[in-house]
């Protein structure tokens, strides 16, 4: 095509301003027809035949055969002018942005403003939706209504359905939905009754999900076959780190299965067995504790453990070398259990926290426990709250700890125990040496009684039993004597006995003191044996 024909004519008035910048446009080749080039200056179209009439405006479309594939129609205001658009080219659209704020780098920006629009579990979005859809589908198949609390927890690390009291069918829909939930780290099924089938479903979940490390199953009624099946699986499973089986009515028949979990499992470090009925079968738990080398925390509170069961648990703790925290609260260890625990404290070098609250630890039992406590080097926290400990005995405990140079005890809880007037002064002496925190109820007021002069004709100086009766009106005699025993030799000399009477406001004559010593000195060695006196008071209390 000649150059003159391609030159733009300034006088030419374009109706379509969008095509004013177009030069030569090549149309796609038409079927059964050679391709042609159309110029802007060209005023006629001769594509079919030289004999085509000029006044036939539809000649082009009439003689052109239809292509096999439909192409976009050619748009033009006047076919006599070359105002065609390329068939596959989209017309540009002019957008106008009104009131669009511009970003100013110097202006403060709140980056948390749109946090709600960003899903917090974006990388699990597909899996979450899949789990929810599976749960809804399972509920629909079984004719159940999906639970909103369950739907909201898909994708979270802690999945809890505690206290929902779900039926077996509802539990099955949940177990099916979370079977592949690899993001679940803790599963709480408390408050839902689990039968044998549900426990088997749960074992399959634990087998598939290796990330699940904490399992809480309180009030699930695992007594009997469910506990047996669970123990069979846990004895060979090594993924759980924490297991809570509290308040499941586990009794003597379930104790062998619990002991099997403790003895065979090699991953559970925190085991909670509180509020069950293990009782005397705790002997099996003690034997299993001897063999366990993984567990660091054990909770056996509220299990009716007393007598032989208490001794069995203590013997297990004596051989164990890993447990650092033991909770034995709300049992009945009493005198026999404290004797066994005293041996544990003498030899154990790993126990750091011991809870003996509400365990019938009376002064004689506490006296035995102190023997091991004085020699222990690792125990840092001891809880003796709500035990029948007398006020003078509280001061005796602090005096023993004050002279125990190897003791590492830094926290003592005797909540519910009323302390005597010397307790605070002794506590201050200990706190000057090392950090020591004590929790107690209240302190008795100072004794303001007037010290009177001894009279040989006074009835108190004649009858030693009446003297002891008035002295023990507010405290036990043995507690007073233990308090006076400064050298801790478990005996009182004549001089120490006289000082004890004067301390309580009852100065005594030599004749009356001879009568008291003759009454209390049963072995006639010139001193009062405190151990014998303690046994005498225990027998009187029993009778």
């Amino acid at each position: 095509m000649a150059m003159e024909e391609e030159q733009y004519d300034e006088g030419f008035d374009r109706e379509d301003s969008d095509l004013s910048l177009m030069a030569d446009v090549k149309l796609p080749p038409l079927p059964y027809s050679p391709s042609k080039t159309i110029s802007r200056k060209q005023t006629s179209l001769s594509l079919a035949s030289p004999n085509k009439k000029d006044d036939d405006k539809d000649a082009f479309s009439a003689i052109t055969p239809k292509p096999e594939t439909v192409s976009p129609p050619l748009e033009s205001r006047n076919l006599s002018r070359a105002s065609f658009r390329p068939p596959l080219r989209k017309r540009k659209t002019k957008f106008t942005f009104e009131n669009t704020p511009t970003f100013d780098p110097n202006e403060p920006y709140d980056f948390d403003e749109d946090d709600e629009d960003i899903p917090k579990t974006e990388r699990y979005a597909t899996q979450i939706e899949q789990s929810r859809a599976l749960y809804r589908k399972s509920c629909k198949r079984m004719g159940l209504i999906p639970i909103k609390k369950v739907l909201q927890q898909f994708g979270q690390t802690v999945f809890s359905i505690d206290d929902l009291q779900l039926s077996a069918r509802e539990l099955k829909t949940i177990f099916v939905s979370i079977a592949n939930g690899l993001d679940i780290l803790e599963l709480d099924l408390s408050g839902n009754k689990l039968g044998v089938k549900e426990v088997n479903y749960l074992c399959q979940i634990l087998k598939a999900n290796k990330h699940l490390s904490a399992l809480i199953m309180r009030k699930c009624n695992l007594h009997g076959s469910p506990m047996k099946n669970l123990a069979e699986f846990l004895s060979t499973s090594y993924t759980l780190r924490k297991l809570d089986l509290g308040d499941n009515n586990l009794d003597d028949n379930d104790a062998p299965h619990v002991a099997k979990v403790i003895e065979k499992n090699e991953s559970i470090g925190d085991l909670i067995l509180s509020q069950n009925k293990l009782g005397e079968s705790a002997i099996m738990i003690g034997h299993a504790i001897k063999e366990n080398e993984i567990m660091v925390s054990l909770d056996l509170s509220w299990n009716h453990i007393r007598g032989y069961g208490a001794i069995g648990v203590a013997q297990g703790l004596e051989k164990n070398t890993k447990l650092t925290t033991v909770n034995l609260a709300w049992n009945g260890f009493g005198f026999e259990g404290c004797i066994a625990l005293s041996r544990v404290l003498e030899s154990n070098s790993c126990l750091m926290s011991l809870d003996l609250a509400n365990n019938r630890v009376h002064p004689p039992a506490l006296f035995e426990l102190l023997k091991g406590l004085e020699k222990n080097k690792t125990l840092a926290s001891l809880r003796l709250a709500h035990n029948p400990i007398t006020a003078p005995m509280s001061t005796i405990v602090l005096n023993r700890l004050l002279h125990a140079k190897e003791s590492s005890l830094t926290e003592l809880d005797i909540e519910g125990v009323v302390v005597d007037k010397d307790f605070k002064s002794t506590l201050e002496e200990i706190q000057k040496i090392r950090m020591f925190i004590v929790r107690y109820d209240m302190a008795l007021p100072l004794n303001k009684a007037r010290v009177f002069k001894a009279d040989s004709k006074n009835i108190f100086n004649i009858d030693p039993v009446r003297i002891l009766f008035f002295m023990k009106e507010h405290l036990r005699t043995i507690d007073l004597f233990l308090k006076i025993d400064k050298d801790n030799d478990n005996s009182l000399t004549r001089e120490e006995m006289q000082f004890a009477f004067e301390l309580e406001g009852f100065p005594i004559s030599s004749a009356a003191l001879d009568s008291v010593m003759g009454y209390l000195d049963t072995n006639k060695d010139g001193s009062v044996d405190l151990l014998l006196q303690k046994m005498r008071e225990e027998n009187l209390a029993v009778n």
Side-chain angles (χ1 to χ4, degrees):
M1 184 178 295
M3 295 296 293
E4 300 86 26
E5 294 179 352
E6 296 180 354
Q7 187 175 3
Y8 179 72
D9 188 1
E10 296 180 357
F12 182 65
D13 185 13
R14 297 285 297 166
E15 293 180 5
D16 191 350
S17 59
D18 292 340
L19 297 178
S20 60
L21 301 178
M22 293 178 57
D24 295 340
V25 178
K26 293 185 178 180
L27 296 176
L30 299 175
Y32 314 108
S33 176
S35 60
K36 298 293 182 180
T37 303
I38 304 174
S39 176
R40 288 188 297 174
K41 297 291 292 181
Q42 189 173 353
T43 58
S44 63
L45 299 175
S46 300
L47 298 178
S49 172
N51 300 326
K52 179 179 175 301
K53 297 180 180 180
D54 296 337
D55 58 344
D56 190 2
K57 298 181 179 180
D58 298 330
F60 181 76
S61 60
I63 64 175
T64 305
K66 295 183 180 180
E68 296 181 1
T69 58
V70 181
S71 60
L74 298 177
E75 298 179 2
S76 176
R77 293 184 176 86
N78 190 354
L79 291 178
S80 62
R81 301 171 57 186
S83 58
F84 296 97
R85 286 199 202 96
L88 300 178
R89 180 178 177 182
K90 293 184 179 180
R91 187 183 183 93
K92 293 184 179 180
T93 305
K94 296 182 179 179
F95 295 94
T96 58
F97 299 91
E98 297 180 0
N99 300 327
T100 303
T102 58
F103 177 73
D104 186 2
N106 298 323
E107 188 175 318
Y109 179 72
D110 185 8
F111 288 94
D112 296 331
E113 183 178 359
D114 298 327
D115 282 353
E116 297 181 357
D117 299 335
I118 302 175
K120 296 182 180 180
T121 56
E122 185 175 358
R123 61 171 182 168
Y124 302 109
T126 303
Q127 184 177 353
I128 294 172
E129 292 302 325
Q130 183 179 2
S131 299
R132 288 175 179 170
L134 181 59
Y135 175 64
R136 290 191 181 97
K137 186 176 180 181
S138 300
C139 290
K140 183 178 180 180
R141 185 186 302 114
M142 293 190 176
L144 302 174
I145 299 176
I147 303 174
K148 183 178 180 181
K149 182 178 179 180
V150 175
L151 289 171
Q152 293 175 345
Q153 295 188 81
F154 285 109
Q156 299 183 6
T157 57
V158 179
F159 195 94
S160 174
I161 54 173
D162 60 314
D163 295 330
L164 292 183
Q165 299 181 356
L166 303 178
S167 64
R169 297 170 62 197
E170 291 173 322
L171 288 172
K172 184 177 180 180
T173 58
I174 296 175
F175 289 158
V176 170
S177 305
I178 66 175
N180 296 323
L182 300 180
D183 47 357
I184 300 177
L185 303 180
E186 178 178 327
L187 180 60
D188 189 351
L189 304 176
S190 302
N192 299 281
K193 184 178 179 180
L194 301 181
V196 176
K197 289 184 178 180
E198 289 74 28
V199 170
N200 293 338
Y201 291 148
L202 179 61
C203 293
Q204 294 178 10
I205 294 175
L206 295 174
K207 187 175 181 179
N209 189 349
K210 303 299 182 181
H211 300 279
L212 185 59
S213 59
L215 180 60
I216 303 175
M217 304 173 66
R218 302 185 67 87
K219 299 181 181 179
C220 291
N221 196 21
L222 297 176
H223 167 69
S225 299
M227 184 63 220
K228 180 180 179 181
N229 291 10
L230 182 63
E232 289 291 337
F233 173 78
L234 292 179
S235 60
T236 57
S237 176
Y238 309 115
T239 57
L240 284 181
R241 298 293 180 267
K242 177 182 178 181
L243 178 62
D244 189 347
L245 299 177
D247 203 358
N248 277 289
N249 296 321
L250 303 179
D251 55 15
D252 297 345
N253 297 324
D254 302 304
H257 309 312
V258 176
K260 184 177 183 179
V261 175
I262 297 176
E263 186 176 355
K264 299 295 183 179
N265 187 275
E266 298 181 0
S267 63
I268 298 177
D270 185 2
L271 180 61
I272 301 175
L273 297 170
S274 61
Q275 295 181 312
N276 286 296
K277 303 175 182 178
L278 297 176
E280 298 297 328
S281 62
I283 298 177
M284 303 180 188
I285 307 297
H287 286 297
I289 292 174
K290 294 180 183 179
E291 306 298 330
N292 189 285
E293 299 180 354
I294 303 296
M295 194 163 46
V296 296
S297 177
L298 176 63
D299 187 350
L300 288 172
S301 60
W302 294 86
N303 267 284
H304 309 283
I305 301 175
R306 57 179 62 92
Y308 291 110
I311 296 175
V313 171
Q315 290 175 349
L317 294 174
E318 187 176 359
K319 300 296 182 179
N320 186 276
T321 59
K322 293 296 181 180
L323 278 170
T324 60
T325 303
V326 177
N327 186 354
L328 301 173
W330 294 93
N331 286 295
F333 270 64
F335 186 74
E336 297 83 0
C338 286
I339 293 178
L341 287 175
S342 179
R343 300 193 189 101
V344 174
L345 295 176
E346 288 181 8
S347 59
N348 189 284
S349 59
C350 60
L351 192 61
M352 300 181 64
S353 177
L354 178 62
D355 191 344
L356 290 174
N358 289 277
N359 263 281
R360 303 179 184 177
V361 181
H362 45 65
L366 183 56
F367 186 78
E368 295 294 334
L369 189 65
L370 284 174
K371 295 179 182 179
L373 187 61
E374 291 174 329
K375 301 177 181 179
N376 187 272
K377 300 179 182 180
T378 59
L379 190 67
S381 175
L382 177 62
R383 190 165 185 262
L384 296 170
H386 303 290
N387 279 296
I389 301 174
T390 59
M393 193 64 193
S394 63
T395 304
I396 294 172
V397 172
L398 291 190
N399 283 326
R400 294 294 180 91
L401 294 177
L402 177 63
H403 296 91
K405 304 301 181 181
E406 297 180 350
S407 176
S408 301
L409 195 67
T410 58
E411 182 180 353
L412 177 63
D413 186 354
I414 52 175
E415 181 184 1
V417 176
V418 178
V419 300
D420 67 354
K421 58 188 178 182
D422 296 329
F423 182 86
K424 290 187 176 180
S425 59
T426 309
L427 177 60
E428 292 175 357
E429 292 184 28
I430 298 177
Q431 290 176 341
K432 291 178 182 179
I433 301 175
R434 65 178 187 270
M435 184 187 74
F436 192 72
I437 302 173
V438 181
R439 184 181 181 185
Y440 57 93
D441 243 16
M442 60 178 294
L444 292 175
L446 294 176
N447 189 359
K448 301 297 183 180
R450 181 177 61 88
V451 178
F452 56 88
K453 186 177 180 180
D455 185 3
S456 59
K457 297 181 179 181
N458 195 304
I459 188 173
F460 300 124
N461 292 331
I462 296 176
D463 188 0
V465 178
R466 291 289 302 275
I467 296 176
L468 296 177
F469 172 77
F470 279 95
M471 288 180 60
K472 62 181 295 185
E473 184 177 3
H474 298 289
L475 70 160
R476 290 157 46 103
T477 306
I478 187 64
D479 295 336
L480 172 64
F481 290 166
L482 288 173
K483 180 178 176 182
I484 301 303
D485 185 20
K486 299 296 184 180
D487 52 2
N488 299 329
D489 59 353
N490 297 326
S491 65
L492 291 180
T493 62
R494 180 184 176 88
E495 290 74 16
E496 289 176 331
M497 284 291 296
Q498 184 175 3
F499 176 74
F501 282 100
E502 294 178 354
L503 181 65
E504 294 300 318
F506 296 98
I508 188 171
S509 65
S510 298
L513 184 59
D514 291 338
S515 299
V516 172
M517 291 295 294
Y519 175 75
L520 298 178
D521 186 10
T522 56
N523 55 4
K524 307 303 180 181
D525 62 348
S527 62
V528 179
D529 192 338
L530 299 183
L531 296 179
L532 295 178
Q533 296 302 319
K534 179 178 62 177
M535 294 176 62
R536 175 184 295 182
E537 287 204 1
E538 288 298 316
N539 294 332
L540 292 175
V542 172
N543 296 332

